[in-house]
């Protein structure tokens, strides 16, 4: 069979004012543009798990109506879904099926709402795809009737046996960033989180030699790739994390990852990360004040317990030459209209090299979605296209939806202005250079200018 893997690419947001601001604020568009060009790792894993004897091609659609014409030559097309683009994905699936192409849909959104997806796809897959995919391909080859496949009915994913994602399928594309996974899941349970935790409950680390193996495969495709670890929380286990960094150092790559604030407590780990090529860590700080964090991490109240140390922790990480992209969720229960000033003050004082602000978003399947639905706080239920992290679709506790949206504009304009961006970044450089001189003499790779 000819199998097409169709990734929905690009960034989604509907609010026209925010989009207009994005076009004029360099600091805001910069990261969006960078990450928008990432390939779909889930589909590259599926490609690697496909039984022999099929012809596989990787395609991208930026939006509904943007699927390439060649995708219609396939016998089976696999589409990966996130909530924000799921209606676009359904529209593409409907057109493909009308043209006689079989469609399989998987990923975070349809794993939570398989029956919604079953109206648009022949095969809907719930959960991690690698072990169920061969059965889907066999079903398609004999044009078996529509079915929902559940990964729990197949062998559990052993992360020590994951294949090398088929990065070679990206050969002809101009990617300069690639995703690699070192782990799946996260030990924490934030009520808003709609990541891998939705697919499998446990946090699992991969064998380090496999991570190295995957990076070498990326280097076959691109000489000096920038690697984004598509993990939920990379440095949970510090001993394993240090070994990972020791093994990454000789590969001469630059990389970015998502982790929690506890990395700040281990200076040896931070030194190893920097030496291994870590350029930035993205950390969910979520709120500048502790109160609204109470109870959002459901297992051990991790976020609230560590909140008082956030500012100092950011400084410690950055003093090792690793920039922090601090993420704040606006509109948590308890946030008021003064929260916007507090975020701005935190970002400037810390100082945060990069900042990400998003509005609280109730992704389907999350405890947050359940709670807000139960309390009648979702403004337009079922509007998955508003699950962009930028569009307000619920009633906050201490301000109106309008005030939240206005606060988002206000903060966006200030945080991402040239003046504020230069101040935050300049302060990082000065502090890093000063501390590095104290410790080692002249630092590598960062100028005080
Ligand atoms: C890389 C990434 C992107 C890339 C995606 C590249 C691409 N072309 O697909 C880019 C930058 C484009 C992106 C965009 C967006 N993203 Co994003 N992104 C991520 C990130 C960091 C990693 C995803 C990843 O690679 N996971 C690893 C792979 C292996 O897992 P997977 O994709 O889930 O695939 C497995 C299964 O789901 C399943 N599977 C997946 N697809 C299919 C298909 C079939 C047929 C089968 C059988 C199985 C299957 O099998 C795979 C292997 O086990 C996650 C956060 C995180 N740490 O996970 C956020 C995340 C996925 N993104 C998120 C969001 C909100 C967005 C945006 C809406 C942001 C925005 N405003 O624009 C857009 C979505 C627009 C769009 N184009 O879809 C949310 C999604 C939540 C949700 N439930 O919808 C996440 C979880 C982050 C968060 N804040 O919560 N993102």
């Amino acid at each position: 069979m000819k199998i097409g893997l169709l990734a929905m690419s690009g960034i989604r947001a509907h609010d026209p004012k925010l989009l207009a601001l994005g076009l004029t604020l360099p600091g805001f568009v910069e990261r969006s543009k960078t990450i928008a060009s990432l390939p779909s790792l889930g589909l590259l894993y599926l490609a690697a798990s496909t039984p022999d004897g099929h012809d596989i091609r990787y395609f991208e659609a930026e939006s509904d109506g943007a699927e390439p014409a060649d995708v219609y030559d396939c016998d089976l097309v696999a589409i990966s879904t996130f909530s924000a683009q799921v209606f676009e994905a359904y529209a593409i699936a409907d057109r493909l099926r009308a043209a006689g192409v079989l469609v399989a849909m998987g990923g975070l959104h349809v794993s939570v709402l398989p029956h919604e997806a079953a109206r648009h796809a022949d095969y809907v897959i719930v959960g991690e795809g690698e072990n169920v995919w061969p059965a889907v391909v066999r079903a398609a080859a004999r044009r078996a009737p529509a079915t929902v496949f559940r990964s729990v009915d197949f062998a559990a994913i052993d992360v020590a046996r994951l294949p090398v994602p088929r990065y070679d399928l990206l050969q002809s594309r101009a990617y300069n960033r690639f995703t690699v996974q070192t782990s799946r899941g996260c030990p924490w349970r934030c009520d808003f989180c709609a990541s891998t935790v939705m697919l499998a409950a446990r946090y699992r680390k991969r064998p380090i030699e496999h991570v190295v193996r995957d990076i070498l495969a990326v280097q076959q495709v691109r000489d000096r790739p920038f690697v984004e670890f598509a993990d939920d929380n990379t440095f949970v286990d510090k001993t394993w994390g240090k070994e990972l960094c020791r093994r990454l150092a000789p590969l001469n790559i630059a990389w970015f990852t998502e982790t929690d604030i506890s990395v700040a407590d281990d200076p040896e780990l931070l030194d190893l990360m920097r030496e291994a090529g870590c350029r930035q860590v993205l950390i969910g700080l979520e709120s500048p004040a502790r109160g609204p964090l109470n109870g959002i991490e459901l297992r051990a109240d991790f976020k609230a317990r560590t909140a008082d140390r956030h500012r100092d922790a950011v400084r410690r990480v950055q003093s090792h030459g690793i920039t922090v992209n601090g993420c704040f969720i606006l509109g948590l229960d308890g946030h008021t209209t003064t929260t916007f000033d507090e975020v701005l003050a935190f970002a400037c004082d810390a100082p945060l090299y990069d900042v990400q602000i998003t509005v609280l978003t109730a992704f389907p399947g999350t405890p947050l979605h359940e709670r807000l639905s139960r309390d009648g706080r979702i403004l337009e239920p079922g509007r998955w296209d508003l699950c962009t992290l930028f569009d307000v679709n619920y009633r906050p506790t201490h301000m109106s939806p309008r005030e939240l949206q206005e606060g988002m504009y206000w903060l966006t304009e200030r945080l991402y202005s040239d003046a504020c961006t230069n101040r935050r970044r300049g302060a990082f450089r000065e502090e890093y250079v000063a501390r590095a001189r104290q410790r080692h003499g002249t630092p590598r790779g960062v100028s005080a200018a």
Side-chain angles (χ1 to χ4, degrees), residues 185-352:
C186 174
W188 309 121
R189 285 290 173 273
C190 296
D191 72 344
F192 53 79
C193 181
S195 266
T196 318
V197 288
M198 306 292 292
L199 303 174
R202 282 188 318 114
Y203 165 69
R204 298 154 295 162
K205 297 172 298 234
R206 299 183 60 211
I208 291 171
E209 61 273 21
H210 286 196
V211 178
V212 171
R213 179 195 73 181
D214 291 359
I215 294 171
L216 293 176
V218 168
Q219 286 175 327
Q220 296 288 313
V221 178
R222 195 71 68 246
D223 261 357
R224 294 182 62 81
F226 191 96
V227 171
E228 297 228 356
F229 290 122
D231 299 340
D232 296 323
N233 191 349
T234 304
F235 293 104
V236 173
D237 177 340
K238 306 291 180 288
T239 309
W240 176 88
K242 287 176 192 173
E243 190 49 29
L244 173 71
C245 290
R246 288 188 194 101
R247 298 287 300 278
L248 293 180
L251 301 179
N252 204 16
I253 51 162
W255 51 274
F256 160 100
T257 199
E258 303 189 13
T259 191
D260 70 47
I261 195 77
S262 65
V263 284
D265 301 332
D266 194 329
E268 185 194 2
L269 174 63
L270 291 169
D271 275 338
L272 288 168
M273 285 164 66
R274 170 75 192 166
E275 279 158 28
C278 182
R279 294 288 178 267
Q280 182 166 84
V281 288
L282 182 143
I283 301 181
L285 304 170
E286 328 302 8
S287 174
R290 181 192 171 126
L293 292 174
N294 282 325
I296 64 167
E297 194 285 294
L298 305 170
R299 188 159 285 169
D301 218 7
F302 174 76
K303 295 256 154 129
R305 281 193 294 111
T306 53
D308 297 339
R309 299 191 281 121
H310 280 174
R311 212 170 289 243
D312 184 46
V314 168
R315 280 210 184 109
R316 268 180 286 143
V317 176
Q318 295 198 145
S319 74
H320 288 257
I322 298 168
T323 61
V324 174
N325 188 339
C327 303
F328 294 94
I329 299 177
L330 305 174
L332 290 172
D333 286 1
H335 275 174
T336 66
T337 49
T338 61
T339 301
F340 309 112
D341 296 287
E342 290 163 12
V343 170
L344 185 62
F346 185 107
C348 296
D349 294 353
L352 276 169

Side-chain angles (χ1 to χ4, degrees), residues 8-12 35 80 82-83 85 129-130 231-232 388:
M8 303 296 295
S9 317
I11 293 296
R12 302 287 184 280
I35 63 164
S80 186
F82 298 151
S83 299
Q85 38 83 318
E130 290 85 353
D231 299 340
D232 296 323
T388 60

Side-chain angles (χ1 to χ4, degrees), residues 7-13 35-36 38-43 45-46 58 60 78-85 104-109 111 125 127-130 133 136 179 181 184 194-196 199 230-232 258 363 387-390:
M8 303 296 295
S9 317
I11 293 296
R12 302 287 184 280
I35 63 164
L38 288 173
S40 164
L41 185 60
L43 291 177
Y45 267 119
L46 286 195
Y58 180 90
E60 295 219 346
I79 306 181
S80 186
T81 59
F82 298 151
S83 299
Q85 38 83 318
M105 294 187 110
L108 286 170
H109 183 87
S111 290
I125 297 85
E128 292 173 288
E130 290 85 353
W133 180 240
V136 180
T179 39
Q181 273 190 320
R184 286 189 177 179
S195 266
T196 318
L199 303 174
D231 299 340
D232 296 323
E258 303 189 13
F363 289 104
C387 289
T388 60
L389 303 168
F390 298 116

Side-chain angles (χ1 to χ4, degrees), residues 346-365:
F346 185 107
C348 296
D349 294 353
L352 276 169
Y353 188 88
D354 274 316
V355 198
Q356 182 176 293
I357 49 167
T358 55
V359 296
L360 184 66
T361 302
F363 289 104

